[in-house]
Amino acid sequence: VRALYKNTIKNNIVAVGDSALYNNGIGATALQAVRNTAIGSKALYANTTGKSNTANGFHTLYANTTGDFNTATGTNTLSANTTGSSNTANGSAALLSNITGNSNTANGTSAMQSNLSGSYNVANGEGALYSNISGNSNIANGSNALFSNTTGYGNTANGSSALNSNTTGTSNLASGLAALFSNTTGSSNVAIGNSALYKNTVNSNIVAVGDSALYNNGTGATALQAIRNTAIGSKALYTNTTGYANTANGYQSMYANTSGIYNTSNGSLALSANTVGRFNTATGANALKGLTTGDYNTALGHNAFFSGDFTNSSAIGDGATVTADNQVRIGDAVSSIGGPAPWTTVSDARFKKDIKENVIGLDFILKLRPVTYHLNTNAMANFLHKSGDQRKSASEKAQESILQTGFIAQEVEKTAQSLGYDFSGVDKPKNNADYYGLRYAQFVVPLVKATQEQQKIIEKQQLKNDTQEKEIDQLKAEVEQLKKEVKLLISKIK
C-alpha cells in the first residue's frame, strides 16, 4: 500500500511494504533520488533526494530525506536519520536515533541506539555504544561495550561491557570482558584483560594489562589521586585505590597495594603484600614479597628481601635476606664479594661532630681472640626461616667448605664492654629476627691506636736505653781515666 507513492520519474527503485519509499523523488532535485531499495513497512518513508540507500525492515530509515549511501537492516534501524550519510546499521533499533551522524557502523540489537550526530563510530554487539549522542571515532566490539558513552571520542572497546560506563572519557583503549567497566570521564587509559581497570572512574593516563589488573584503581574519597599507574600482569595492582605513580609488572605484582605511591615491582608476586609502603623497588619473582608498610626499600633478585617489613633497606642477589631497617645485604650463600677498587667510607671533616680521641687500642686488641671456623649454613637458614626451595645446597656446601678466619662477634662485644668501649665494629641485632655481624674495616682504628701506643712504649724504652748507654759510656770513660791515674801512680811509686 502506497509504496513509492510520490515517485514520479525515478527508475530502478525497489520498494516493498506499506508506504515504503512513500516520498521518494520529490523536490527541486528529485532526480538525485536514485538507487534506493526499501523493503518493509514505511521503510525510507520520508526520503526525498537521498540516494543509494538500502532499507530492510519495519520503519528502517523512516525519516531519511537527503542522506546517502546508508544501509539499514532490522526493525527501526536508522529510523530517525534525516541527512546522515554512509551509515550501516544491522539489528533491531540499531542507530535508531541517528539524525545527522555520518559514516557509522552499528551491528547488533540497539547498537548505537541513541546516536544523534556522532560520526565515524563502529559498534558491534547488542547495546554497543547504546547511549552515544555526539561522540566521534569510537569503536565498540561486544555486547554493551561503550554502552553509556555520550560525547566521548576516540575510544576503543573490545569485549562484552568493556568501557560500559564511559560517558565523556576520551582516547581510552579497553580490551577484554568488562575492561574499564566503570570508567566515566577518565581519558587516555589502556586496559587489556578481563576486568582490567574495572573500577576506575575518573582517572587518566593509566595502563593495565592482564586479568583484573588495577581492578580497584580509583575508588574511594580521594579517587582522583590514583593516577600515573601502570600494571602489566594478571591481578597486578589489583587492590589499588588511591595509590599513584606505581609500576607493577608480573602476576599479582603489587596485588595488595591500596595507597602506596612511587613503587616499582617487576616479577611474579613482587611486592605483592604491600599496602601503603612508598618508594620501594622490587625486581625478581617474590622480591619484597612480605613487605606491607615499609618505605624506601630495594630488592634485586629472585626471593630477594622475601620477608620482613623494614625501611630504607636493600637486598641484592637471589635470596638475599634483610633483617632490620637501614640495612644492605648482598648475596646469599656466596663465597666472594668484591671488585677492582677498595670500599670507600664517607670521612669528610665537614660531616663530623663531637670528635674525641677516646679510642682504646692496645688493651682492646690484646684481649681479642682470633679464631678459624666453618660457617654453619643450616643454622643460618633455620634462623632466617628459609624453606627448602629458597636454599641452594651446592652453594651452601661450597660456602661451608671454606675455612674462615676472624673473630666471634659476641666475644668482641663483651671485650669492648669490659673496657667501656662503644666499638662501632660490632653490628648488633636490631630486633629478634636480626643477627650479629662484624665490620672488619673498623678494626683498623684500634689497631692504629694500638700501634701508636706501642710506638710510645718503644720510644720511651729507647729513650731509657739511650740514657743508660750514655751512663755506661760515661762510666767507661771514668774507668779508663781511673786506669790511667792508677798506672801513673804506680809508675811514680817505682
Side-chain angles (χ1 to χ4, degrees):
V1 178
R2 297 186 181 85
L4 271 170
Y5 182 82
K6 293 186 178 181
N7 188 72
T8 55
I9 57 176
K10 296 295 174 293
N11 301 318
N12 303 310
I13 298 170
V14 177
V16 179
D18 174 44
S19 302
L21 274 163
Y22 181 89
N23 287 285
N24 191 73
I26 62 172
T29 55
L31 283 170
Q32 292 179 355
V34 296
R35 298 189 298 277
N36 291 304
T37 300
I39 301 174
S41 176
K42 297 183 175 60
L44 272 165
Y45 176 87
N47 192 73
T48 55
T49 60
K51 60 181 179 294
S52 299
N53 296 293
T54 300
N56 297 311
F58 175 78
H59 275 218
T60 50
L61 276 164
Y62 174 88
N64 193 78
T65 54
T66 61
D68 302 324
F69 302 103
N70 295 295
T71 300
T73 302
T75 300
N76 289 321
T77 52
L78 272 166
S79 62
N81 191 78
T82 56
T83 61
S85 298
S86 301
N87 296 294
T88 300
N90 296 306
S92 176
L95 274 166
L96 180 143
S97 304
N98 191 77
I99 299 175
T100 60
N102 299 312
S103 302
N104 295 296
T105 300
N107 297 308
T109 301
S110 298
M112 288 193 72
Q113 179 171 317
S114 304
N115 193 74
L116 300 178
S117 59
S119 299
Y120 308 105
N121 296 292
V122 176
N124 295 308
E126 179 185 2
L129 269 166
Y130 177 92
S131 304
N132 194 74
I133 297 173
S134 58
N136 298 320
S137 303
N138 295 294
I139 298 173
N141 295 310
S143 61
N144 296 322
L146 273 165
F147 180 89
S148 302
N149 193 78
T150 54
T151 61
Y153 58 86
N155 297 294
T156 300
N158 296 310
S160 178
S161 296
L163 272 165
N164 177 277
S165 305
N166 193 77
T167 53
T168 61
T170 63
S171 302
N172 293 295
L173 169 61
S175 183
L177 172 68
L180 267 168
F181 178 88
S182 304
N183 193 79
T184 54
T185 60
S187 298
S188 300
N189 295 301
V190 175
I192 300 175
N194 291 350
S195 299
L197 268 171
Y198 182 89
K199 292 188 178 180
N200 190 75
T201 55
V202 297
N203 294 299
S204 302
N205 302 305
I206 300 168
V207 176
V209 179
D211 167 50
S212 301
L214 272 163
Y215 181 90
N216 286 285
N217 192 76
T219 59
T222 54
L224 280 169
Q225 292 180 353
I227 57 175
R228 301 195 300 279
N229 291 305
T230 300
I232 300 175
S234 177
K235 297 179 176 61
L237 271 166
Y238 177 89
T239 313
N240 193 74
T241 53
T242 59
Y244 56 88
N246 297 294
T247 301
N249 298 311
Y251 170 74
Q252 292 193 10
S253 180
M254 286 187 67
Y255 175 91
N257 194 80
T258 54
S259 57
I261 61 174
Y262 291 101
N263 296 295
T264 301
S265 58
N266 297 300
S268 175
L269 296 172
L271 261 173
S272 58
N274 187 71
T275 54
V276 298
R278 307 167 302 155
F279 306 102
N280 298 295
T281 301
T283 299
N286 298 323
L288 272 170
K289 182 180 179 182
L291 189 83
T292 56
T293 60
D295 304 327
Y296 308 105
N297 296 292
T298 301
L300 176 60
H302 168 246
N303 281 334
F305 211 145
F306 179 84
S307 61
D309 199 15
F310 305 110
T311 294
N312 196 37
S313 290
S314 299
I316 301 173
D318 180 271
T321 304
V322 166
T323 52
D325 294 339
N326 307 308
Q327 188 180 88
V328 175
R329 291 285 183 258
I330 301 176
D332 174 62
V334 296
S335 56
S336 178
I337 298 174
W343 190 268
T344 299
T345 302
V346 175
S347 187
D348 194 307
R350 295 171 295 178
F351 310 142
K352 296 182 178 182
K353 63 180 182 178
D354 303 327
I355 299 172
K356 297 177 183 178
E357 292 187 38
N358 58 355
V359 176
I360 298 177
L362 198 55
D363 290 343
F364 175 62
I365 295 299
L366 289 174
K367 289 186 177 183
L368 294 178
R369 184 173 74 108
V371 297
T372 61
Y373 61 91
H374 289 281
L375 192 65
N376 188 338
T377 56
N378 281 329
M380 191 170 187
N382 290 335
F383 182 84
L384 296 173
H385 304 291
K386 287 195 172 184
S387 59
D389 59 349
Q390 292 177 288
R391 299 184 61 180
K392 311 172 188 69
S393 58
S395 297
E396 289 181 7
K397 186 176 180 180
Q399 192 178 47
E400 279 196 346
S401 68
I402 299 172
L403 182 64
Q404 309 276 358
T405 298
F407 302 107
I408 307 300
Q410 289 90 333
E411 292 181 3
V412 176
E413 179 185 41
K414 187 176 179 180
T415 298
Q417 288 174 344
S418 70
L419 297 169
Y421 182 23
D422 188 9
F423 180 48
S424 60
V426 178
D427 191 0
K428 302 174 185 177
K430 310 302 185 298
N431 50 64
N432 292 333
D434 199 12
Y435 51 85
Y436 275 95
L438 287 176
R439 304 181 182 103
Y440 281 96
Q442 302 300 97
F443 285 82
V444 171
V445 178
L447 279 169
V448 169
K449 184 69 173 180
T451 302
Q452 291 173 340
E453 290 172 347
Q454 279 186 330
Q455 185 62 30
K456 286 182 180 180
I457 294 171
I458 292 169
E459 289 174 355
K460 185 178 180 181
Q461 186 63 43
Q462 186 63 47
L463 179 61
K464 184 178 179 180
N465 290 343
D466 291 345
T467 302
Q468 288 177 339
E469 285 181 2
K470 286 180 181 180
E471 291 175 349
I472 291 170
D473 289 341
Q474 186 176 353
L475 287 171
K476 285 181 177 179
E478 291 175 355
V479 169
E480 289 298 322
Q481 182 62 34
L482 185 59
K483 285 180 178 180
K484 289 180 181 179
E485 291 176 356
V486 170
K487 193 180 289 187
L488 179 61
L489 181 61
I490 291 172
S491 66
K492 285 183 179 180
I493 293 173
K494 289 180 177 180

